[in-house]
Amino acid sequence: MRRAIELALQGGKKVFPNPRVGAVILSPEGETISEGYHAFFGGAHAERNALDKAGDVDVTGCTMVVTLEPCSHHGRTPPCAEAIANAGISRVAAGLTDPNPLVAGKGISFLRDRGIDVEVGLYSNEIEKLNEVYLHYTATGRSFLHLKMAGTIDGRSAAADGSSRWITGEESRTRVHEFRRDSHAVLIGIGTAVADNPELTARNVDCPDEDQPVRIIIGSKEMPHHLKLFNSPGRTVVVTDKHRDLPESVEVWQGIETLAQLLAKTAEEGLGLILCEGGGSLAASLLKEHLVDRLSIFTAPAVLGSTGFPLMGDLGIGNIGDILRMENVKVTRIGEDILTEGRVVYRAD
């Protein structure tokens, strides 16, 4: 199953809105016969890839280890459970039941009804993490939002004059480019676009032009055509209901009234993982609406004092009992900086 998880990771972001899945076929003696993974949405599933790669080898009586329950319905590809049964596989170890209503236990039942021994639950926590974007989308219909922020140890994101470049070190900036590479889109507000003039591309990491994240800018201000995000590889979207003088290459999304609607729209567009690099105001709005699914904060060993811009906007918290905390926290030293990552804990209504 560890190997199946490694294989699933190779699918990367191209598999969305499908899950990342890896599969390994073992002989009755426990030796690996073949492997497969789901490489891109619309392509063959991991189980069929593994069966195809077995070639002329007879897999009757073999075991298939797969990270997610095999599908039993006809979609873009034929059902994997049927292919497994027809191949003569006698045992299936699945890491996780697929919550997709089209599957949701039906694949397991299909296999068991045909006399195949099925075990479920091996490395389930790791596989939930592997597929957090897919699981979130299946549960909510929205994209998974990863909020990235960077500031000083006294909680400031920019100096009094608005300058903010190079608060964190080079190693932290490289990690941000890795975040962009792994994301379907990068979201900022128009204020950040105009003030910082970012490219919002993944640079100095392996990310060809066709894999660059979509740049999404939200707001109502005017933007000059010379901004880097209008002249960088990839797709640029502006979310606004007002007429704007924009380059012809820019897409305009209208009729989106809330941030939740925006994340539903991005999911419809096949953009499952959104990295927000906006300022404190946009970050606060996302947090207040309980839309931040992962929070990453880079903290530099520096101070700006009370005249600096605060890292976070107003969250409307007046009582310590309403404080937002993080769970599953991971703290990493990145050069001279500290990266704190985790999931935000929202109080129940």
Side-chain angles (χ1 to χ4, degrees), residues 129 144 146-147 292-297 325-331 340-345:
K129 177 63 177 177
F144 186 99
H146 177 194
L147 173 61
V292 175
D293 302 299
R294 184 194 306 157
L295 177 59
S296 297
I297 299 180
R325 295 189 180 274
M326 296 166 67
E327 64 181 3
N328 301 327
V329 175
K330 179 182 178 183
V331 179
T340 305
E341 302 176 279
R343 293 184 69 98
V344 181
V345 180

Side-chain angles (χ1 to χ4, degrees), residues 100-114:
N100 182 339
L102 294 173
V103 188
K106 298 182 181 69
I108 293 170
S109 296
F110 180 95
L111 295 170
R112 285 176 174 162
D113 289 346
R114 282 149 184 80

Side-chain angles (χ1 to χ4, degrees), residues 161-165 187-200 216-230 236 238 244-246 277-279:
D161 63 357
S163 57
S164 62
R165 292 177 67 84
L187 171 67
I188 62 171
I190 282 182
T192 298
V194 174
D196 295 348
N197 192 20
E199 292 183 52
L200 300 184
I216 303 177
I217 304 93
I218 184 170
S220 58
K221 296 179 181 178
E222 294 290 348
M223 291 184 290
H225 287 208
H226 64 74
L227 291 181
K228 294 177 182 176
L229 54 84
F230 291 144
T236 302
V238 173
R244 290 285 167 261
D245 176 24
L246 297 167
E277 296 191 46

